[in-house]
Structure formats: C-alpha cells, structure tokens
Amino acid sequence: VPRIVINGREIDVPPGTTVLDAAERLGIGIPALCHRQGVQPFTSCMVCVVRDRNMHRLLPSCTHPVQDGMDIETDSEEVRDARRATMNLLLSEHVGDCGAPCRRVCPARMNVPQLIRLVAEGRLGEAHRTAKTDLVLPGIIGRICPAPCEKGCRRAAHDSGLAIGLLHRYTADIDLSSPSPWTPGFAPLTGKRVAVIGAGPAGLAAAWHLRRLGISVSVFDAGTAAGGKLRAIPPERLSLEALDQELQALVMPDVEFHFGVRIATYDTLREMRAAHDAVVFAPGQLEAAELEALGLPRSERGMSADFQTLETPIEGIYAAGDVVNAARMAVRAVADGQLAARAIHRRFTGEGPPPRYKRFDSRIRRLEPSEIAVFMSEADPRGRVSPARGSEGGFSDDEARAEASRCMGCDCRKALSCKLRLYADEYGASAAVFASEERVAVSKLLDHPEVVFEPGKCIKCGLCVRICAQAGEPLGMTFLGRGYDMRVGPSFDDGVAKGLGKAAAACVEACPTAALAWKKWEERGDG
Ligand code: SF4
Ligand code: SF4
Ligand code: SF4
Ligand code: FES
C-alpha cells in the first residue's frame, strides 16, 4: 500500500488513488474546476496543482496517482502562485458581471436587481424587505435620492435607466399603508451600549443596525423630533406627512430617544464616550468653528474618520453622515450609519476591523449595441414608465410591474456559488494581469426552457461535454473549433436544449461558473 505524506501528515491509500482524493481523506481541500467525482478526468484547468517535494515539480492532483514515498505540499507559496497565474489567465478571457452595475454604484449597496425581480413577480413584501434592509428609509430615500443607480443602469445605454427610486418608494408606501408594516428581527441584547448623536438619516440608520445586532442604543438630538436635515427638504419633494409616516414606522425596541440635547463641546463628547461602549457622532453638517470646539481632528471636508470603519482618531468614537463629508446624499448618510454599526459590532465581538478587500467582481466594461440587444432579449422592450399620478403620486401597481419588467437582470446567476469567483478571491487573482483589448462578444443562448448558456462565462473545463457523453446524449455539448479559438457549445450549434438533452440538470450542477445556469434567479441571492 502506498504511503505518502501531504503537508507533513502521513496516510496510506489504495494504489491508484489520486493525490487529490488522498488529500481529501486527510480533510485537506484542493481547488478544482475541471474535475468532478464520477466524471472522466480531463486535466485541463490546472488549478489543482500541488508540489512534489522530492521531484521538485508541480503536478495536477486531480489525475496524478499517489506513489509510495511521495511528499506533497498543497498550499505553499509556489503552489499558490501557480494557481493564481492559472486563475489570472482564465479571468482575462472571462466575460461577465458578477454583480449588477446598478447595485455597484448604490452607496448602500442595496440589492437592486433582486428588488426589481420581486416587484415584477408581485412579491411586494419581499421586495420591500430587500430595499429596507440596506436603505432603512426606502420610502423617503425613494423620493429624494438623485439615484446614481439609475445612471449606472445598463438599460440607460438602450433607452433609459430603470426607475429604481420610484420602485422602492412604491414597495415602501404599500408596506406603510398596511396594518402592520414590516419590522425585522432584533438580536437579543448583548449588554453593550452605544450613544448615537444625531437623529438624521445617518444616526437613525446606525441606531437601527446597531439594535438589529443586539446593541442597546440611546439617541441624542439637539432638535425636537427625528429626521435631521430631512425636515428641511422642500415639501414638494418630501412632504412632512410622508417623512413622519416612515419615521414612526421605524420600530426599534429599547432604543431611547433624548431630544433637546446638544453635544457641542469636547467635554460633553468625552462624557458620552465614557458612559457608553462606543459613540456614533452623526449631528449633520457642522461649521469649522463647531468642529473646532469639539476638538476632533478634521479633514478638508469635515471630521476625519477611517474610511473602512468610520472610527475617528479618538478611540471608540465613530463619525457618520454629513459631519464627515458635508452635503452628501441621504443614501450615503444611511450607508455610513450601517458601516459604523457593523464596525462597532465587529469591535465588540473581537472580530476586528472589516476586511480590507472586496469580493472579486468580474466586470464587462462597455457593451456594444449588439450586446445590449442580447441583454434586452430578457427584458420588456417598452420604454420607461412615468407615473400617471405624477412623480409625487408614485407608481400604481400596474405601472410598477411594467417598469420592473424592463430590468435586464445584469447580475450573474451564480454569483454566490461560482467556483471561478470563489478561487479568484481565495488566490487574489485578477482579470487585469493578462488584460487585452479584445474580448469575446457577450451572448446568451436561451432556447432551453429552463437553462441559459452564456459562452463568455465558459472556462472550457469540458465537464458538460464529458457528462453529456457519459449520459449517452446523442448530440451533447462539444468542443468546437481548435487552438486559440476553441470553444464549447452544443454540437452542430444545434441549440442548447437539444445539446444538453436529459443531462441538463447534471450539467448545470457541475458547471463551475454561470456558463450553464438555471434561468430562475433565486440563487442570485445576495452576492
Ligand atoms: S460566472 Fe462567476 S466569475 Fe463569471 S460573472 Fe458569474 S459569478 Fe462572476
Ligand atoms: S437593467 Fe436592472 S439589473 Fe441591469 S443595471 Fe439596470 S436595474 Fe440593474
Ligand atoms: S459550459 Fe461546460 S465547458 Fe463551459 S465552464 Fe460550464 S461545464 Fe465547463
Ligand atoms: S486539472 Fe485538476 S481540476 Fe482541473
């Protein structure tokens, strides 16, 4: 029986076992894209490489059988470099958006495409929850936001961007007019206490998220009611009625509000800090002299704070909203409140500051008109819907649904499960390393009733080809062309439905990327 060593641990395995399987027995995971249990091996992707220490060479673990006396390392610097290089190459040819462009530019990173799909399906309660989870005040923000997301919307290149603001305002208004507006779950109190200074959009969002995370909150505001700068918005844009209705429905159990309290000096701020486990300072825009009186370090635009955590140079004091960066959009203030709340929570749980890196996010830059047409094939071609009641009146049910059906669904169908994305994160790979001007044109094959094939996302791993062959599919998926232009597609370009035949589910399941994916979108989730 061969005895081998993997990462310094010995194991006996039956002859013929692959190095990858032997590692698995030891609980050591090795990445693999073109390999799958029960499918003929192929050795094409090479992300499964490991290093043979005796022979001083890298080998593909998914096919290489163990040999007695082997000494393998699976995670050394050299191995990781090799995997990263392989991933960089795959990514340089990859044509896909992991996340939708609209969501990318929303300061609160609200899951826009999910909200819209839910509206299109009439699942308005879920749609509202999607928006409120990140926006906290989706009705108010839907009325006043300059909507950078709508400018970033891919559909703008065809006719005009989706009316995203009107849509989350619509679902919020429906929720607010129901007998019991939605309120999320609140974690049990942990005993930690935070003071939030300012009851404007940043402070309210901080309080809401902190309380959701189980933290007791006391809110202090110099005015007589919550809302901050939202109260100063002209009534034709935001009526006091609409403002108060949503503020009153913002239920936050055990959050105390103290009005008429102004924190304007260094000493009062320090007292607040001493009496709480942390402070979120969100009093709105302050004059230079006011900032001076607080004794907090300043930047050009306002109070200085770490951009990842919003902690100020004074330990335990976080700054959010216009005090950090004057006169910004309310949605940015709300995003700040969420960021500070998360950072404070991580501090309390000992997780430390949020990780500096963002998830790998493949992007298709500019689309050609012919490519927009491909996206349009999944959307209603009619132009943007204007509310018959005027923009103050907002959408009717039919209008909202019609507008929502214009969305082209630009987020990737496997954004959460894609292995290419997973390994890109794990190995710090990037599409930029081998970037070239040319790229494959975006295309989507939609003839199968349930499956979509996106060739630009195919990494030519050949799994679907082998699965179709093993299943005895008469046509199957196949390698087309040769050399550099080689690609995978249905045989004779005869449509995906015929190609996949009965092997469709197995192929979708096995495809490591979203090249083959279910049309239904539930899996898109929160990637
Ligand atoms: S297939 Fe994977 S890497 Fe490509 S866009 Fe989709 S999630 Fe991103
Ligand atoms: S078409 Fe839909 S998913 Fe695409 S960018 Fe616009 S709103 Fe977002
Ligand atoms: S479509 Fe087939 S060859 Fe392409 S990535 Fe998916 S399984 Fe691999
Ligand atoms: S070569 Fe081993 S998983 Fe692809």
Side-chain angles (χ1 to χ4, degrees):
V1 176
R3 165 163 300 187
I4 74 165
V5 172
I6 305 180
N7 296 352
R9 293 160 64 193
E10 255 183 273
I11 185 171
D12 298 330
V13 285
T17 307
T18 63
V19 173
L20 186 133
D21 285 341
E24 205 147 82
R25 288 181 186 215
L26 284 168
I28 297 169
I30 295 175
L33 286 171
C34 69
H35 168 77
R36 190 172 171 92
Q37 223 51 265
V39 182
Q40 279 261 306
F42 186 50
T43 329
S44 81
C45 77
M46 293 296 172
V47 299
C48 66
V49 290
V50 295
R51 186 164 173 275
D52 181 333
R53 286 162 52 105
N54 299 333
M55 309 296 283
H56 306 286
R57 58 168 189 177
L58 294 168
L59 48 88
S61 63
C62 72
T63 39
H64 209 288
V66 295
Q67 283 148 7
D68 195 37
M70 255 184 166
D71 185 1
I72 295 291
E73 57 189 24
T74 71
D75 208 30
S76 62
E77 207 46 46
E78 188 184 338
V79 168
R80 293 182 64 86
D81 285 348
R83 290 181 190 155
R84 186 178 314 109
T86 303
M87 292 294 302
N88 287 343
L89 264 175
L90 289 175
L91 293 172
S92 70
E93 297 186 343
H94 194 71
V95 185
D97 280 315
C98 300
C102 50
R103 185 180 190 189
R104 229 177 256 147
V105 292
C106 170
R109 305 246 325 124
M110 192 259 285
N111 194 340
V112 176
Q114 176 161 302
L115 159 87
I116 298 178
R117 284 190 286 264
L118 287 165
V119 173
E121 289 184 11
R123 292 156 68 180
L124 304 181
E126 290 162 86
H128 172 64
R129 292 197 276 277
T130 300
K132 190 174 176 79
T133 299
D134 291 312
L135 300 180
V136 187
L137 302 168
I140 294 168
I141 291 176
R143 286 169 169 81
I144 62 170
C145 190
C149 57
E150 296 182 17
K151 287 163 203 112
C153 171
R154 280 221 186 277
R155 176 100 192 215
H158 177 75
D159 44 16
S160 49
L162 267 280
I164 299 162
L166 276 168
L167 286 172
H168 61 73
R169 170 201 162 159
Y170 161 75
T171 52
D173 286 354
I174 290 194
D175 178 69
L176 287 171
S177 63
S178 74
S180 53
W182 178 70
T183 279
F186 292 92
L189 292 175
T190 57
K192 293 289 185 191
R193 300 173 58 231
V194 172
V196 172
I197 297 164
L204 289 173
W208 196 70
H209 288 292
L210 285 165
R211 181 58 196 89
R212 286 199 68 181
L213 293 163
I215 296 160
S216 301
V217 183
S218 301
V219 183
F220 301 87
D221 193 279
T224 53
K229 74 169 181 184
L230 299 173
R231 298 209 162 267
I233 290 171
E236 57 289 2
R237 282 182 65 211
L238 176 64
S239 70
L240 278 181
E241 207 187 343
L243 172 67
D244 283 329
Q245 193 188 16
E246 191 163 39
L247 290 182
Q248 273 154 24
L250 194 68
V251 176
M252 295 189 269
D254 327 294
V255 171
E256 293 169 15
F257 280 84
H258 306 271
F259 290 105
V261 182
R262 185 180 296 275
I263 305 297
T265 64
Y266 180 76
D267 288 343
T268 47
L269 187 58
R270 283 304 187 134
E271 276 167 30
M272 278 286 165
R273 172 70 188 95
H276 298 86
D277 297 298
V279 171
V280 178
F281 191 61
Q285 188 175 346
L286 295 182
E287 301 294 332
E290 293 173 300
L291 284 170
E292 193 88 16
L294 284 157
L296 288 170
R298 275 189 289 151
S299 72
E300 231 167 76
R301 299 190 209 105
M303 185 174 285
S304 64
D306 180 276
F307 79 103
Q308 285 276 334
T309 61
L310 293 178
E311 188 169 10
T312 66
I314 301 182
E315 182 273 335
I317 299 185
Y318 295 71
D322 282 3
V323 72
V324 184
N325 212 333
R328 291 189 307 171
M329 296 174 280
V331 64
R332 213 168 255 294
V334 160
D336 273 8
Q338 183 182 59
L339 186 62
R342 287 199 180 143
I344 290 172
H345 177 67
R346 290 182 70 98
R347 171 200 182 96
F348 291 166
T349 56
E351 287 163 276
R356 287 214 165 248
Y357 94 128
K358 284 205 208 133
R359 275 221 75 182
F360 171 79
D361 196 21
S362 176
R363 293 175 189 207
I364 319 173
R365 308 267 164 208
R366 217 178 60 82
L367 291 182
E368 298 299 325
S370 59
E371 295 177 313
I372 297 270
V374 170
F375 275 79
M376 280 298 293
S377 62
E378 291 199 83
D380 189 320
R382 284 174 293 180
R384 181 162 163 142
V385 180
S386 306
R389 297 185 289 208
S391 58
E392 302 96 85
F395 279 145
S396 68
D397 295 346
D398 287 347
E399 287 168 343
R401 211 184 258 242
E403 181 60 15
S405 67
R406 296 179 62 238
C407 177
M408 310 189 296
C410 308
D411 53 341
C412 184
R413 285 178 158 91
K414 283 194 185 167
L416 292 185
S417 59
C418 171
K419 281 188 171 181
L420 190 63
R421 191 177 188 204
L422 185 79
Y423 299 152
D425 272 336
E426 194 168 329
Y427 294 97
S430 151
V433 179
F434 299 113
S436 77
E437 287 294 303
E438 283 190 23
R439 63 166 172 82
V440 185
V442 174
S443 63
K444 296 188 189 191
L445 277 63
L446 295 157
D447 66 276
H448 191 287
E450 288 164 76
V451 177
V452 50
F453 177 50
E454 295 190 49
K457 294 178 180 173
C458 172
I459 57 167
K460 300 161 196 162
C461 73
L463 271 173
C464 59
V465 176
R466 286 170 279 148
I467 288 171
C468 285
Q470 271 175 242
E473 274 307 320
L475 292 166
M477 299 289 277
T478 186
F479 288 100
L480 302 157
R482 52 179 68 223
Y484 184 74
D485 291 323
M486 192 265 288
R487 61 193 169 89
V488 168
S491 307
F492 312 113
D493 278 332
D494 210 10
V496 177
K498 279 195 193 157
L500 291 175
K502 293 195 177 61
C507 290
V508 169
E509 184 73 11
C511 178
T513 74
L516 283 169
W518 298 116
K519 283 184 176 171
K520 71 176 170 59
W521 54 269
E522 266 74 7
E523 204 206 332
R524 285 175 175 179
D526 206 24

